[in-house]
Amino acid sequence: MPDAFTVLWTHDTCRALREAGRVGERPPVAFSGVHSSLPAWSGAGAGDEVYALHVKQREVFVVSRMRVIDRERRDCCGAAPATWEDPAYPGHETWSMLGAGGCGAQAVHVDATPVRFDVPVSSELLTRLTWRNRRGQTRGLKYIVDGRLERSISLQGFYRLTPEAADELAEVVCSAP
């Protein structure tokens, strides 16, 4: 059974998506990294789903649901850089804001829903969302006050959802107009 994860897209990433006119488009790729500047998608494999989340004014939104296809460098990625000045993934220049220039960036090819910023996660669901680590321990979100997320620190990173939470986020995406 595939796993599901969440990744938090920062204000800078989401602003860059808007400015580049990517709203409504399906990203073909996202990027994993070895440095804290990029989330490490190390636990995700082919068939797993990743929910890109964004927090705006203490409200959480699902920006895109991405199903991992592979984590290999393909022809679509362009030539590997010959020097440090060369772009890492010239074939994915239009989606570079998702981390192509990050330290140790690795392409993760995805089949994704269109990028959008109008799919909120309800306050009730925020209180029920849970993640589990490799040892099977679960945790929920911290810093929820009156159904709103006061601090996004517990979303920052790349985390495995519990199956129940994954089902509920899938429902949010599927029921969005």
Side-chain angles (χ1 to χ4, degrees), residues 57-117:
Q57 297 178 334
R58 303 179 346 198
E59 191 171 6
V60 179
F61 296 86
V62 178
V63 179
S64 182
R65 177 177 63 189
M66 300 170 280
R67 182 167 290 119
V68 176
I69 298 171
D70 66 40
R71 299 171 47 131
E72 304 298 321
R73 185 176 195 103
R74 299 188 196 167
D75 291 340
C76 63
C77 297
T83 71
W84 66 271
E85 296 172 318
D86 296 337
Y89 293 93
H92 294 301
E93 178 95 7
T94 56
W95 294 96
S96 64
M97 73 283 293
L98 298 181
C103 184
Q106 176 188 17
V108 180
H109 294 96
V110 296
D111 177 22
T113 61
V115 169
R116 50 192 299 184
F117 296 98

